[in-house]
PDB file of all heavy atoms in Angstrom:
ATOM      1  N   ALA A1228      -6.684  -1.644  42.830  1.00  0.00           N
ATOM      2  CA  ALA A1228      -6.790  -1.439  44.273  1.00  0.00           C
ATOM      3  C   ALA A1228      -7.519  -0.146  44.588  1.00  0.00           C
ATOM      4  O   ALA A1228      -7.710   0.720  43.729  1.00  0.00           O
ATOM      5  CB  ALA A1228      -5.394  -1.396  44.899  1.00  0.00           C
ATOM      6  N   PHE A1230      -7.268   2.928  47.513  1.00  0.00           N
ATOM      7  CA  PHE A1230      -6.563   3.590  48.585  1.00  0.00           C
ATOM      8  C   PHE A1230      -7.471   4.699  49.097  1.00  0.00           C
ATOM      9  O   PHE A1230      -8.452   5.073  48.457  1.00  0.00           O
ATOM     10  CB  PHE A1230      -5.256   4.208  48.074  1.00  0.00           C
ATOM     11  CG  PHE A1230      -4.180   3.206  47.769  1.00  0.00           C
ATOM     12  CD1 PHE A1230      -4.239   2.412  46.635  1.00  0.00           C
ATOM     13  CD2 PHE A1230      -3.081   3.058  48.603  1.00  0.00           C
ATOM     14  CE1 PHE A1230      -3.239   1.487  46.344  1.00  0.00           C
ATOM     15  CE2 PHE A1230      -2.071   2.151  48.323  1.00  0.00           C
ATOM     16  CZ  PHE A1230      -2.152   1.364  47.197  1.00  0.00           C
ATOM     17  N   ARG A1231      -7.121   5.251  50.243  1.00  0.00           N
ATOM     18  CA  ARG A1231      -7.877   6.397  50.740  1.00  0.00           C
ATOM     19  C   ARG A1231      -6.938   7.360  51.448  1.00  0.00           C
ATOM     20  O   ARG A1231      -5.876   6.965  51.935  1.00  0.00           O
ATOM     21  CB  ARG A1231      -8.997   5.951  51.687  1.00  0.00           C
ATOM     22  CG  ARG A1231      -8.531   5.364  53.008  1.00  0.00           C
ATOM     23  CD  ARG A1231      -9.720   4.832  53.793  1.00  0.00           C
ATOM     24  NE  ARG A1231      -9.319   4.323  55.104  1.00  0.00           N
ATOM     25  CZ  ARG A1231     -10.146   3.705  55.937  1.00  0.00           C
ATOM     26  NH1 ARG A1231     -11.427   3.513  55.605  1.00  0.00           N
ATOM     27  NH2 ARG A1231      -9.705   3.278  57.109  1.00  0.00           N
ATOM     28  N   GLN A1232      -7.374   8.610  51.481  1.00  0.00           N
ATOM     29  CA  GLN A1232      -6.576   9.632  52.141  1.00  0.00           C
ATOM     30  C   GLN A1232      -7.493  10.570  52.902  1.00  0.00           C
ATOM     31  O   GLN A1232      -8.341  11.239  52.313  1.00  0.00           O
ATOM     32  CB  GLN A1232      -5.746  10.422  51.126  1.00  0.00           C
ATOM     33  CG  GLN A1232      -4.762  11.372  51.762  1.00  0.00           C
ATOM     34  CD  GLN A1232      -3.742  11.898  50.766  1.00  0.00           C
ATOM     35  OE1 GLN A1232      -3.918  11.814  49.556  1.00  0.00           O
ATOM     36  NE2 GLN A1232      -2.642  12.431  51.289  1.00  0.00           N
ATOM     37  N   ARG A1236      -3.497  13.194  56.571  1.00  0.00           N
ATOM     38  CA  ARG A1236      -2.916  11.856  56.720  1.00  0.00           C
ATOM     39  C   ARG A1236      -2.358  11.360  55.395  1.00  0.00           C
ATOM     40  O   ARG A1236      -2.693  11.871  54.322  1.00  0.00           O
ATOM     41  CB  ARG A1236      -3.965  10.884  57.255  1.00  0.00           C
ATOM     42  CG  ARG A1236      -4.550  11.301  58.593  1.00  0.00           C
ATOM     43  CD  ARG A1236      -5.395  10.226  59.204  1.00  0.00           C
ATOM     44  NE  ARG A1236      -4.612   9.041  59.549  1.00  0.00           N
ATOM     45  CZ  ARG A1236      -5.117   8.001  60.184  1.00  0.00           C
ATOM     46  NH1 ARG A1236      -6.389   7.989  60.532  1.00  0.00           N
ATOM     47  NH2 ARG A1236      -4.359   6.963  60.455  1.00  0.00           N
ATOM     48  N   GLU A1237      -1.497  10.364  55.496  1.00  0.00           N
ATOM     49  CA  GLU A1237      -0.936   9.754  54.305  1.00  0.00           C
ATOM     50  C   GLU A1237      -1.997   8.918  53.584  1.00  0.00           C
ATOM     51  O   GLU A1237      -2.938   8.409  54.211  1.00  0.00           O
ATOM     52  CB  GLU A1237       0.233   8.839  54.701  1.00  0.00           C
ATOM     53  CG  GLU A1237       1.427   9.549  55.292  1.00  0.00           C
ATOM     54  CD  GLU A1237       2.166  10.348  54.242  1.00  0.00           C
ATOM     55  OE1 GLU A1237       2.336   9.849  53.119  1.00  0.00           O
ATOM     56  OE2 GLU A1237       2.566  11.491  54.548  1.00  0.00           O
ATOM     57  N   ARG A1238      -1.821   8.767  52.281  1.00  0.00           N
ATOM     58  CA  ARG A1238      -2.696   7.889  51.513  1.00  0.00           C
ATOM     59  C   ARG A1238      -2.405   6.444  51.927  1.00  0.00           C
ATOM     60  O   ARG A1238      -1.240   6.025  51.972  1.00  0.00           O
ATOM     61  CB  ARG A1238      -2.464   8.073  50.016  1.00  0.00           C
ATOM     62  CG  ARG A1238      -3.506   7.412  49.147  1.00  0.00           C
ATOM     63  CD  ARG A1238      -3.351   7.826  47.690  1.00  0.00           C
ATOM     64  NE  ARG A1238      -3.516   9.274  47.506  1.00  0.00           N
ATOM     65  CZ  ARG A1238      -3.559   9.871  46.323  1.00  0.00           C
ATOM     66  NH1 ARG A1238      -3.466   9.145  45.210  1.00  0.00           N
ATOM     67  NH2 ARG A1238      -3.687  11.174  46.242  1.00  0.00           N
ATOM     68  N   GLU A1239      -3.455   5.711  52.239  1.00  0.00           N
ATOM     69  CA  GLU A1239      -3.265   4.361  52.754  1.00  0.00           C
ATOM     70  C   GLU A1239      -4.006   3.321  51.923  1.00  0.00           C
ATOM     71  O   GLU A1239      -5.057   3.608  51.335  1.00  0.00           O
ATOM     72  CB  GLU A1239      -3.740   4.258  54.213  1.00  0.00           C
ATOM     73  CG  GLU A1239      -5.217   4.502  54.419  1.00  0.00           C
ATOM     74  CD  GLU A1239      -5.659   4.315  55.864  1.00  0.00           C
ATOM     75  OE1 GLU A1239      -4.816   4.070  56.738  1.00  0.00           O
ATOM     76  OE2 GLU A1239      -6.877   4.412  56.114  1.00  0.00           O
ATOM     77  N   PHE A1240      -3.460   2.133  51.917  1.00  0.00           N
ATOM     78  CA  PHE A1240      -4.042   1.004  51.201  1.00  0.00           C
ATOM     79  C   PHE A1240      -5.337   0.561  51.881  1.00  0.00           C
ATOM     80  O   PHE A1240      -5.420   0.494  53.114  1.00  0.00           O
ATOM     81  CB  PHE A1240      -3.039  -0.148  51.193  1.00  0.00           C
ATOM     82  CG  PHE A1240      -3.578  -1.440  50.663  1.00  0.00           C
ATOM     83  CD1 PHE A1240      -3.700  -1.651  49.302  1.00  0.00           C
ATOM     84  CD2 PHE A1240      -3.960  -2.457  51.537  1.00  0.00           C
ATOM     85  CE1 PHE A1240      -4.196  -2.846  48.812  1.00  0.00           C
ATOM     86  CE2 PHE A1240      -4.453  -3.659  51.063  1.00  0.00           C
ATOM     87  CZ  PHE A1240      -4.584  -3.852  49.696  1.00  0.00           C
ATOM     88  N   VAL A1241      -6.338   0.241  51.067  1.00  0.00           N
ATOM     89  CA  VAL A1241      -7.598  -0.258  51.587  1.00  0.00           C
ATOM     90  C   VAL A1241      -7.841  -1.704  51.137  1.00  0.00           C
ATOM     91  O   VAL A1241      -8.072  -2.582  51.956  1.00  0.00           O
ATOM     92  CB  VAL A1241      -8.792   0.614  51.138  1.00  0.00           C
ATOM     93  CG1 VAL A1241     -10.114   0.012  51.615  1.00  0.00           C
ATOM     94  CG2 VAL A1241      -8.633   2.033  51.646  1.00  0.00           C
ATOM     95  N   TYR A1288      -9.388   6.550  46.294  1.00  0.00           N
ATOM     96  CA  TYR A1288      -8.778   6.518  44.980  1.00  0.00           C
ATOM     97  C   TYR A1288      -8.677   5.076  44.479  1.00  0.00           C
ATOM     98  O   TYR A1288      -8.296   4.179  45.249  1.00  0.00           O
ATOM     99  CB  TYR A1288      -7.370   7.089  45.030  1.00  0.00           C
ATOM    100  CG  TYR A1288      -7.275   8.541  45.438  1.00  0.00           C
ATOM    101  CD1 TYR A1288      -7.152   8.896  46.786  1.00  0.00           C
ATOM    102  CD2 TYR A1288      -7.301   9.554  44.489  1.00  0.00           C
ATOM    103  CE1 TYR A1288      -7.074  10.223  47.167  1.00  0.00           C
ATOM    104  CE2 TYR A1288      -7.219  10.894  44.860  1.00  0.00           C
ATOM    105  CZ  TYR A1288      -7.109  11.213  46.196  1.00  0.00           C
ATOM    106  OH  TYR A1288      -7.021  12.532  46.571  1.00  0.00           O
ATOM    107  N   ALA A1290      -6.661   2.583  41.812  1.00  0.00           N
ATOM    108  CA  ALA A1290      -5.329   2.601  41.238  1.00  0.00           C
ATOM    109  C   ALA A1290      -5.023   1.272  40.574  1.00  0.00           C
ATOM    110  O   ALA A1290      -5.575   0.236  40.950  1.00  0.00           O
ATOM    111  CB  ALA A1290      -4.293   2.888  42.326  1.00  0.00           C
ATOM    112  N   ALA A1291      -4.145   1.314  39.590  1.00  0.00           N
ATOM    113  CA  ALA A1291      -3.723   0.114  38.885  1.00  0.00           C
ATOM    114  C   ALA A1291      -2.256  -0.167  39.170  1.00  0.00           C
ATOM    115  O   ALA A1291      -1.413   0.739  39.110  1.00  0.00           O
ATOM    116  CB  ALA A1291      -3.938   0.275  37.385  1.00  0.00           C
ATOM    117  N   ASP A1292      -1.975  -1.411  39.480  1.00  0.00           N
ATOM    118  CA  ASP A1292      -0.615  -1.859  39.767  1.00  0.00           C
ATOM    119  C   ASP A1292       0.253  -1.729  38.518  1.00  0.00           C
ATOM    120  O   ASP A1292      -0.217  -1.903  37.399  1.00  0.00           O
ATOM    121  CB  ASP A1292      -0.677  -3.320  40.212  1.00  0.00           C
ATOM    122  CG  ASP A1292       0.518  -3.755  41.020  1.00  0.00           C
ATOM    123  OD1 ASP A1292       1.643  -3.333  40.693  1.00  0.00           O
ATOM    124  OD2 ASP A1292       0.341  -4.541  41.953  1.00  0.00           O
ATOM    125  N   SER A1293       1.515  -1.432  38.724  1.00  0.00           N
ATOM    126  CA  SER A1293       2.451  -1.346  37.598  1.00  0.00           C
ATOM    127  C   SER A1293       3.075  -2.693  37.257  1.00  0.00           C
ATOM    128  O   SER A1293       3.764  -2.822  36.246  1.00  0.00           O
ATOM    129  CB  SER A1293       3.562  -0.354  37.944  1.00  0.00           C
ATOM    130  OG  SER A1293       3.022   0.926  38.164  1.00  0.00           O
ATOM    131  N   ARG A1294       2.832  -3.690  38.092  1.00  0.00           N
ATOM    132  CA  ARG A1294       3.434  -5.020  37.912  1.00  0.00           C
ATOM    133  C   ARG A1294       2.460  -5.910  37.152  1.00  0.00           C
ATOM    134  O   ARG A1294       1.450  -6.362  37.692  1.00  0.00           O
ATOM    135  CB  ARG A1294       3.776  -5.618  39.282  1.00  0.00           C
ATOM    136  CG  ARG A1294       4.758  -4.795  40.082  1.00  0.00           C
ATOM    137  CD  ARG A1294       4.806  -5.229  41.539  1.00  0.00           C
ATOM    138  NE  ARG A1294       3.544  -4.954  42.220  1.00  0.00           N
ATOM    139  CZ  ARG A1294       3.311  -5.235  43.487  1.00  0.00           C
ATOM    140  NH1 ARG A1294       4.251  -5.798  44.225  1.00  0.00           N
ATOM    141  NH2 ARG A1294       2.132  -4.965  44.021  1.00  0.00           N
ATOM    142  N   ASP A1301       1.478  -8.454  48.391  1.00  0.00           N
ATOM    143  CA  ASP A1301       2.209  -7.279  48.827  1.00  0.00           C
ATOM    144  C   ASP A1301       1.833  -6.086  47.964  1.00  0.00           C
ATOM    145  O   ASP A1301       2.240  -5.988  46.802  1.00  0.00           O
ATOM    146  CB  ASP A1301       3.714  -7.548  48.735  1.00  0.00           C
ATOM    147  CG  ASP A1301       4.527  -6.417  49.327  1.00  0.00           C
ATOM    148  OD1 ASP A1301       3.966  -5.640  50.139  1.00  0.00           O
ATOM    149  OD2 ASP A1301       5.718  -6.306  48.991  1.00  0.00           O
ATOM    150  N   TYR A1302       1.060  -5.159  48.541  1.00  0.00           N
ATOM    151  CA  TYR A1302       0.603  -3.989  47.796  1.00  0.00           C
ATOM    152  C   TYR A1302       0.980  -2.730  48.558  1.00  0.00           C
ATOM    153  O   TYR A1302       0.529  -2.505  49.665  1.00  0.00           O
ATOM    154  CB  TYR A1302      -0.914  -4.047  47.588  1.00  0.00           C
ATOM    155  CG  TYR A1302      -1.342  -5.188  46.693  1.00  0.00           C
ATOM    156  CD1 TYR A1302      -1.779  -6.382  47.238  1.00  0.00           C
ATOM    157  CD2 TYR A1302      -1.278  -5.069  45.314  1.00  0.00           C
ATOM    158  CE1 TYR A1302      -2.167  -7.430  46.419  1.00  0.00           C
ATOM    159  CE2 TYR A1302      -1.651  -6.112  44.490  1.00  0.00           C
ATOM    160  CZ  TYR A1302      -2.094  -7.295  45.043  1.00  0.00           C
ATOM    161  OH  TYR A1302      -2.464  -8.338  44.237  1.00  0.00           O
ATOM    162  N   ASN A1303       1.795  -1.920  47.895  1.00  0.00           N
ATOM    163  CA  ASN A1303       2.222  -0.656  48.469  1.00  0.00           C
ATOM    164  C   ASN A1303       1.941   0.467  47.471  1.00  0.00           C
ATOM    165  O   ASN A1303       1.907   0.236  46.255  1.00  0.00           O
ATOM    166  CB  ASN A1303       3.722  -0.686  48.783  1.00  0.00           C
ATOM    167  CG  ASN A1303       4.063  -1.766  49.779  1.00  0.00           C
ATOM    168  OD1 ASN A1303       3.717  -1.677  50.946  1.00  0.00           O
ATOM    169  ND2 ASN A1303       4.731  -2.812  49.310  1.00  0.00           N
ATOM    170  N   ARG A1304       1.776   1.654  47.992  1.00  0.00           N
ATOM    171  CA  ARG A1304       1.436   2.783  47.131  1.00  0.00           C
ATOM    172  C   ARG A1304       2.429   2.928  45.984  1.00  0.00           C
ATOM    173  O   ARG A1304       2.045   3.221  44.849  1.00  0.00           O
ATOM    174  CB  ARG A1304       1.404   4.067  47.968  1.00  0.00           C
ATOM    175  CG  ARG A1304       1.054   5.306  47.184  1.00  0.00           C
ATOM    176  CD  ARG A1304       1.031   6.509  48.092  1.00  0.00           C
ATOM    177  NE  ARG A1304       0.838   7.734  47.327  1.00  0.00           N
ATOM    178  CZ  ARG A1304       0.819   8.941  47.860  1.00  0.00           C
ATOM    179  NH1 ARG A1304       0.963   9.089  49.159  1.00  0.00           N
ATOM    180  NH2 ARG A1304       0.639  10.008  47.105  1.00  0.00           N
ATOM    181  N   ALA A1305       3.691   2.694  46.243  1.00  0.00           N
ATOM    182  CA  ALA A1305       4.732   2.875  45.220  1.00  0.00           C
ATOM    183  C   ALA A1305       4.591   1.891  44.067  1.00  0.00           C
ATOM    184  O   ALA A1305       5.160   2.106  42.997  1.00  0.00           O
ATOM    185  CB  ALA A1305       6.111   2.730  45.853  1.00  0.00           C
ATOM    186  N   ASP A1306       3.823   0.810  44.265  1.00  0.00           N
ATOM    187  CA  ASP A1306       3.663  -0.186  43.207  1.00  0.00           C
ATOM    188  C   ASP A1306       2.615   0.225  42.185  1.00  0.00           C
ATOM    189  O   ASP A1306       2.462  -0.434  41.161  1.00  0.00           O
ATOM    190  CB  ASP A1306       3.251  -1.532  43.813  1.00  0.00           C
ATOM    191  CG  ASP A1306       4.317  -2.089  44.744  1.00  0.00           C
ATOM    192  OD1 ASP A1306       5.508  -1.973  44.402  1.00  0.00           O
ATOM    193  OD2 ASP A1306       3.959  -2.629  45.805  1.00  0.00           O
ATOM    194  N   PHE A1307       1.874   1.285  42.460  1.00  0.00           N
ATOM    195  CA  PHE A1307       0.749   1.668  41.616  1.00  0.00           C
ATOM    196  C   PHE A1307       1.096   2.909  40.818  1.00  0.00           C
ATOM    197  O   PHE A1307       1.377   3.968  41.376  1.00  0.00           O
ATOM    198  CB  PHE A1307      -0.502   1.886  42.473  1.00  0.00           C
ATOM    199  CG  PHE A1307      -1.013   0.601  43.049  1.00  0.00           C
ATOM    200  CD1 PHE A1307      -0.438   0.047  44.176  1.00  0.00           C
ATOM    201  CD2 PHE A1307      -2.058  -0.075  42.441  1.00  0.00           C
ATOM    202  CE1 PHE A1307      -0.887  -1.161  44.692  1.00  0.00           C
ATOM    203  CE2 PHE A1307      -2.527  -1.269  42.950  1.00  0.00           C
ATOM    204  CZ  PHE A1307      -1.928  -1.821  44.075  1.00  0.00           C
ATOM    205  N   GLY A1308       1.047   2.767  39.497  1.00  0.00           N
ATOM    206  CA  GLY A1308       1.471   3.859  38.630  1.00  0.00           C
ATOM    207  C   GLY A1308       0.343   4.639  37.989  1.00  0.00           C
ATOM    208  O   GLY A1308       0.575   5.712  37.441  1.00  0.00           O
ATOM    209  N   SER A1309      -0.874   4.123  38.065  1.00  0.00           N
ATOM    210  CA  SER A1309      -2.007   4.808  37.456  1.00  0.00           C
ATOM    211  C   SER A1309      -3.081   5.031  38.516  1.00  0.00           C
ATOM    212  O   SER A1309      -3.447   4.082  39.234  1.00  0.00           O
ATOM    213  CB  SER A1309      -2.586   3.979  36.309  1.00  0.00           C
ATOM    214  OG  SER A1309      -1.629   3.783  35.292  1.00  0.00           O
ATOM    215  N   TRP A1310      -3.598   6.247  38.565  1.00  0.00           N
ATOM    216  CA  TRP A1310      -4.542   6.620  39.614  1.00  0.00           C
ATOM    217  C   TRP A1310      -5.763   7.305  39.028  1.00  0.00           C
ATOM    218  O   TRP A1310      -5.663   8.027  38.031  1.00  0.00           O
ATOM    219  CB  TRP A1310      -3.876   7.566  40.618  1.00  0.00           C
ATOM    220  CG  TRP A1310      -2.771   6.914  41.374  1.00  0.00           C
ATOM    221  CD1 TRP A1310      -1.485   6.751  40.972  1.00  0.00           C
ATOM    222  CD2 TRP A1310      -2.862   6.326  42.672  1.00  0.00           C
ATOM    223  NE1 TRP A1310      -0.761   6.082  41.940  1.00  0.00           N
ATOM    224  CE2 TRP A1310      -1.583   5.829  42.993  1.00  0.00           C
ATOM    225  CE3 TRP A1310      -3.896   6.175  43.598  1.00  0.00           C
ATOM    226  CZ2 TRP A1310      -1.314   5.177  44.202  1.00  0.00           C
ATOM    227  CZ3 TRP A1310      -3.632   5.540  44.803  1.00  0.00           C
ATOM    228  CH2 TRP A1310      -2.355   5.045  45.095  1.00  0.00           C
TER     229      TRP A1310
END
Side-chain angles (χ1 to χ4, degrees):
F1230 287 75
R1231 68 186 183 186
Q1232 188 167 17
R1236 302 190 65 175
E1237 294 289 318
R1238 191 170 299 187
E1239 63 177 4
F1240 172 79
V1241 176
Y1288 298 89
D1292 202 321
S1293 299
R1294 300 166 294 180
D1301 187 21
Y1302 294 97
N1303 299 290
R1304 180 179 174 182
D1306 297 319
F1307 291 80
S1309 299
W1310 295 83

